[in-house]
Amino acid sequence: MPGRLIDGKAVAAEVRERVAAEVAELAHAPGLATVLAGDDPASAVYVRMKREDCAQVGIESFHHEPGGDVPEQALAELLGSLNCDPQVNGILLQLPLPGHLDGEAMSALIDPAKDVDGLTPFSAGLLAHGHPGLVPCTPAGVMELLAHADVELEGAEAVVVGRSQLVGKPLASLLLAANATVTHCHSRTRDLGASCRRADVLVAAAGSPGLITADMVHEGAAVIDVGTNRTDDGLVGDVDFDAVREVAGAITPVPGGVGPMTRAMLLVNTVAAARTQLEARR
Ligand code: NAD
């Protein structure tokens, strides 16, 4: 029997409803600043969707487009002013930045209290120390999906394929914190298939279409596909979906799996940041 489909769209809708109810209880609408530098059309679409998500749950968004040739100093000053703006509870600096700017260095200028993407070294350090602050949205979304699908993590063999700061590393920390036994694979892993076959929970975040095939998955495993790859056949994940579903116990589709959760978790983080800042001002 094919594995159960984990419907990211439905879970994200539930999360958004929860966020909207929380926002309604706050004295002030939380504020998210979005910063889009450059003219990457995909980035422009992502930012527009994130602002629409905000509007849907009652989060105010403040949009800034400093232009693709913005000097480093000017972008740093913009981030500095947003750090000081009491109406702004979260700051989203859309990556990638144009080539003359260092995305990692610029992200690090964001006040950790407003780091709703969880990408500053400070947020990464908290997570690595086991005291998570604002957690990157995609790994947080994966954890929410696993919880929603009732996947047991305590003592489970979890295998993460990919070790980026954005997805793989924070996800491995979160799985470890949930008491899974974590194997972390990457492009230099000698025998990816052997590692993956160990997994009760397999998360693919490599950006390589069809990387995970059915022979790499053990019967009944939960398979979460973070990969988002644009191909001639449209948007596909890292997992050979149809074949893997035949052996998996549960599986996320692409699109409609992790993607909608990433967007929803940004809203969760913005409200969490707003609450923490409100409490700090009391
Ligand atoms: P990245 O390029 O920064 O990292 C990819 C990681 O995968 C690297 O650590 C690399 O070592 C590993 N890798 C690459 N090829 C491999 C192979 N053949 N075998 C084993 N490991 C391999 O990418 P990223 O930013 O972490 O994103 C990964 C994928 O997830 C991409 O497809 C990206 O588009 C997608 N993504 C999706 C969402 C979402 O919301 N759905 C969010 C972020 C990223």
Side-chain angles (χ1 to χ4, degrees):
M1 205 170 63
R4 185 159 51 98
L5 198 69
I6 305 176
D7 183 351
K9 269 195 202 161
V11 182
E14 275 179 36
V15 171
R16 278 198 302 274
E17 256 178 53
R18 215 166 65 207
V19 170
E22 264 192 76
V23 169
E25 280 177 12
L26 293 174
H28 301 284
L32 175 71
T34 52
V35 180
L36 176 64
D39 48 15
D40 176 27
S43 292
V45 171
Y46 291 145
V47 170
R48 197 194 64 220
M49 291 191 310
K50 288 168 186 176
R51 297 187 67 214
E52 286 168 3
D53 290 344
C54 284
Q56 206 192 341
V57 297
I59 293 175
E60 205 169 341
S61 66
F62 308 98
H63 186 55
H64 298 267
E65 269 189 44
D69 54 356
V70 60
E72 188 180 299
Q73 183 61 24
L75 184 57
E77 281 169 17
L78 171 61
L79 294 172
S81 74
L82 297 174
N83 281 342
C84 298
D85 185 340
Q87 277 191 298
V88 170
N89 302 115
I91 301 171
L92 180 134
L93 176 62
Q94 184 66 41
L95 301 175
L97 293 179
H100 68 287
L101 296 170
D102 178 343
E104 211 173 303
M106 288 290 120
S107 296
L109 298 176
I110 295 171
D111 179 348
K114 300 187 178 186
D115 176 24
V116 286
D117 258 342
L119 290 180
T120 62
F122 188 88
S123 300
L126 285 179
L127 183 57
H129 276 250
H131 303 289
L134 291 163
V135 172
C137 300
T138 302
V142 170
M143 295 304 285
E144 188 82 25
L145 280 178
L146 289 169
H148 201 273
D150 288 323
V151 174
E152 177 67 53
L153 294 176
E154 179 92 21
E157 292 282 346
V159 176
V160 178
V161 184
R163 57 174 165 179
S164 69
Q165 299 289 353
L166 183 65
V167 188
K169 276 188 197 163
L171 187 56
S173 294
L174 289 167
L175 289 164
L176 203 55
N179 295 324
T181 300
V182 180
T183 302
H184 210 161
C185 300
H186 46 78
S187 53
R188 307 284 176 89
T189 296
R190 267 196 218 123
D191 188 343
L192 185 64
S195 295
C196 290
R197 273 189 289 278
R198 267 209 294 275
D200 302 314
V201 179
L202 175 60
V203 185
S208 178
L211 178 68
I212 307 297
T213 48
D215 62 312
M216 296 161 87
V217 176
H218 86 51
E219 188 88 31
V223 180
I224 308 290
D225 193 353
V226 179
T228 310
N229 309 293
R230 275 169 219 291
T231 69
D232 293 343
D233 299 330
L235 207 62
V236 300
D238 289 349
V239 174
D240 180 5
F241 181 83
D242 290 332
V244 169
R245 191 176 180 189
E246 292 302 316
V247 280
I251 188 166
T252 59
V254 176
V258 175
M261 292 305 295
T262 298
R263 286 168 61 182
M265 297 317 283
L266 176 67
L267 306 174
V268 170
N269 277 354
T270 304
V271 174
R275 278 186 185 283
T276 309
Q277 287 160 45
L278 209 66
E279 274 159 29
R281 278 185 216 138
R282 277 203 188 124

